[in-house]
C-alpha cells in the first residue's frame, strides 16, 4: 500500500493536526471535533460530520457561512454519540443546533442518540437527513452524498439570516427532496486503515451508482467516453428532476483531475443545451470525495432565487466556491 501516511492508526489524528495547524480559524476539541474558534454569539449553530475519507467534507466546511462544527469519525466510520454531543455543547449559544446528517444507518443512529442526550441537558436540537443519491431506488434508504455539502451551505445562509431553528429545519427539509445526485467510478478507493480496495474492478470497466464509502455501484459497464458517461447520468437524473433552470455540481471523487471535471462540465452543458435547459450556476471540484476513488458525481438542483442566493453567498470556507 502506497500512502502518504506515517501509521494507519494515526490517520485521523494526523489529518486533524495538520488541518488545525494550517487553518487559524478552527480548532480541534474532544480529539475529533472541529469547531470554529470564533464561536457564534447568537443564531442557530450547524453541526455535521461522519466518517473521514470524504475531505474536504465535513471539516473543511467549518467556517463562517457554513458549519459551526464537524464531528470526524475514523475512515468510513460514523463518529460516536459522545463526540457528537461534545460538538453540540461546544457550539450551542441558546438559539438551538441543527444536525445535518447523511442517510447511513450508523450516522443516523449516533446523531439521534446525541440529540436525545443534548435535549436531556435542555439544548434545543433538530435534525435533517440528506438522501440525495438516486442510485438507491427506495427513497427512505437513499444515501446522503455530494448534495450534503449544498445542505451545509443552504442551512448556513439561513442561519446567517437569523432564521429560527424551526424555520431552518422546515426550509432545509423542503429543499432536500429537490437535490438529486448520481455518481460513477473508474477505480475503487484504497482504504488506508485496512490496506484494501473498496471493490475489485478491471481496467476496462466502470461502476455506475457508486456510494462514497467504497460501495459498489448498481451496475458495472465497459468504460465509455466522458460524453457518454455524462449522458447516462443525466438521463437517470432527469427522470426525477423537472426544471428548465438548474444549479449543477460536478463533484470529483478524490482522484479525478480538475481538468477532467471541467471536460465533464463541458459535456454536461452541451447535453443540457440540447434539452433547452439553462444552467444558472456551476460548482466544479472536489466537494464530497471517497479517498482516492477516480470518478465523479453530478448533482442537480432546480433553480429558485432563494436557493441560488443561498448557495452563492460568500463563505470563509476555502473549499466551497
Amino acid at each position: 500500500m502506497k500512502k502518504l501516511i506515517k501509521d494507519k492508526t494515526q490517520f485521523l489524528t494526523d489529518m486533524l493536526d495538520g488541518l488545525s495547524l494550517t487553518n487559524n480559524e478552527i480548532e480541534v476539541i474532544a480529539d475529533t471535533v472541529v469547531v470554529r474558534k470564533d464561536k457564534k454569539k447568537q443564531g442557530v449553530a450547524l453541526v455535521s460530520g461522519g466518517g473521514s475519507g470524504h475531505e474536504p467534507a465535513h471539516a473543511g466546511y467549518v467556517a463562517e457561512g457554513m458549519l459551526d462544527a464537524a464531528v470526524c469519525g475514523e475512515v468510513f466510520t460514523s463518529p460516536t454519540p459522545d463526540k457528537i454531543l461534545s460538538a453540540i455543547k461546544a457550539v450551542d449559544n441558546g438559539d438551538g443546533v441543527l444536525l445535518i446528517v447523511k442517510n447511513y444507518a450508523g450516522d443516523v443512529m449516533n446523531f439521534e442518540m446525541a440529540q436525545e442526550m443534548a435535549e436531556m441537558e435542555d439544548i434545543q436540537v433538530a435534525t435533517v437527513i440528506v438522501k440525495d443519491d438516486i442510485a438507491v431506488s427506495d427513497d427512505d434508504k437513499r444515501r446522503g452524498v455530494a448534495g450534503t455539502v449544498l445542505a451545509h451551505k443552504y442551512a448556513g445562509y439561513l442561519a446567517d439570516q437569523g432564521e429560527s431553528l424551526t424555520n431552518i429545519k422546515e426550509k432545509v427539509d423542503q429543499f432536500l427532496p429537490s437535490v438529486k445526485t448520481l455518481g460513477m467510478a473508474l477505480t475503487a478507493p484504497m482504504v488506508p486503515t485496512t490496506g484494501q480496495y473498496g471493490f475489485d474492478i478491471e481496467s476496462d470497466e466502470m461502476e455506475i451508482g457508486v456510494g462514497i464509502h467504497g460501495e459498489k455501484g448498481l451496475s458495472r459497464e465497459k468504460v465509455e467516453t466522458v460524453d457518454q458517461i455524462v449522458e447516462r447520468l443525466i438521463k437517470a437524473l432527469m427522470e426525477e428532476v423537472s426544471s428548465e433552470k438548474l444549479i449543477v455540481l460536478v463533484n470529483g471523487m478524490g482522484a479525478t483531475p480538475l481538468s477532467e471535471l471541467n471536460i465533464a462540465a463541458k459535456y454536461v452543458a452541451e447535453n443540457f443545451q440540447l434539452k433547452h435547459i439553462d444552467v444558472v450556476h456551476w460548482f466544479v471540484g472536489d466537494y464530497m470525495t471517497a479517498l482516492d476513488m477516480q470518478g465523479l458525481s453530478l448533482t442537480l438542483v432546480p433553480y429558485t432565487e432563494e436557493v441560488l442566493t443561498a448557495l452563492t453567498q460568500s463563505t470563509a470556507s476555502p473549499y466551497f466556491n
Side-chain angles (χ1 to χ4, degrees):
M1 178 178 70
K2 291 183 178 180
K3 286 288 182 183
L4 295 176
I5 60 176
K6 179 180 179 180
D7 186 323
K8 65 181 181 181
T9 64
Q10 296 177 209
F11 183 92
L12 177 57
T13 54
D14 281 355
M15 179 185 71
L16 293 180
D17 285 347
L19 188 65
S20 60
L21 284 168
T22 57
N23 185 344
N24 293 326
E25 304 301 315
I26 63 169
E27 61 181 331
V28 179
I29 65 169
D31 299 324
T32 60
V33 177
V34 178
V35 299
R36 290 171 54 185
K37 284 184 179 178
D38 184 17
K39 178 181 175 178
K40 281 181 183 174
K41 302 296 190 296
Q42 61 183 13
V44 175
L46 307 179
V47 175
S48 190
S52 298
H54 307 302
E55 290 71 33
H58 298 277
Y61 304 123
V62 176
E64 182 180 356
M66 294 188 77
L67 299 178
D68 296 281
V71 196
C72 304
E74 296 292 340
V75 175
F76 295 167
T77 303
S78 175
T80 56
D82 61 311
K83 300 297 185 181
I84 301 167
L85 179 62
S86 294
I88 293 170
K89 294 171 71 172
V91 300
D92 176 52
N93 55 38
D95 288 334
V97 177
L98 180 71
L99 306 180
I100 302 171
V101 184
K102 301 188 302 299
N103 192 34
Y104 295 91
D107 286 350
V108 172
M109 178 180 68
N110 289 343
F111 274 85
E112 184 178 89
M113 290 175 63
Q115 176 174 347
E116 292 172 354
M117 293 158 66
E119 289 173 343
M120 290 175 65
E121 299 189 32
D122 296 324
I123 300 174
Q124 298 180 71
V125 182
T127 297
V128 294
I129 308 292
V130 186
K131 308 174 183 179
D132 58 311
D133 185 5
I134 71 164
V136 180
S137 58
D138 186 335
D139 286 355
D140 290 334
K141 295 181 180 179
R142 286 187 166 178
R143 303 169 294 203
V145 286
T148 309
V149 181
L150 302 182
H152 295 165
K153 187 66 182 66
Y154 183 58
Y157 167 80
L158 296 174
D160 285 351
Q161 299 305 301
E163 296 270 7
S164 68
L165 179 61
T166 300
N167 286 350
I168 295 175
K169 173 177 168 53
E170 182 178 337
K171 287 188 175 184
V172 175
D173 277 336
Q174 291 173 350
F175 167 70
L176 287 175
S178 71
V179 181
K180 306 294 183 182
T181 301
L182 185 61
M184 59 77 58
L186 299 174
T187 65
M190 164 61 76
V191 182
T193 50
T194 65
Q196 301 294 319
Y197 285 100
F199 52 85
D200 295 324
I201 187 169
E202 298 298 326
S203 60
D204 63 345
E205 294 177 329
M206 64 180 184
E207 289 277 333
I208 302 296
V210 292
I212 56 172
H213 298 95
E215 305 100 327
K216 293 174 65 176
L218 288 183
S219 66
R220 179 164 295 188
E221 313 289 343
K222 292 297 183 182
V223 174
E224 299 173 336
T225 57
V226 66
D227 56 322
Q228 294 171 317
I229 292 169
V230 161
E231 182 176 6
R232 182 189 290 269
L233 298 181
I234 288 175
K235 181 179 179 181
L237 285 163
M238 292 308 293
E239 290 180 3
E240 302 202 18
V241 177
S242 57
S243 178
E244 294 181 355
K245 291 186 177 182
L246 293 173
I247 297 164
V248 176
L249 167 59
V250 182
N251 173 64
M253 291 295 195
T256 308
L258 183 59
S259 55
E260 293 180 24
L261 295 179
N262 280 310
I263 291 170
K266 170 189 173 179
Y267 290 105
V268 171
E270 287 186 359
N271 192 291
F272 282 136
Q273 286 171 0
L274 292 174
K275 292 179 170 61
H276 305 289
I277 292 173
D278 181 22
V279 178
V280 298
H281 193 80
W282 293 88
F283 296 99
V284 180
D286 283 348
Y287 290 84
M288 176 74 75
T289 65
L291 291 169
D292 58 353
M293 186 157 70
Q294 188 176 359
L296 61 83
S297 64
L298 294 183
T299 303
L300 306 184
V301 182
Y303 161 81
T304 71
E305 185 175 348
E306 183 191 50
V307 168
L308 180 62
T309 298
L311 297 184
T312 56
Q313 191 80 7
S314 63
T315 171
S317 170
Y319 303 105
F320 190 95
N321 53 58

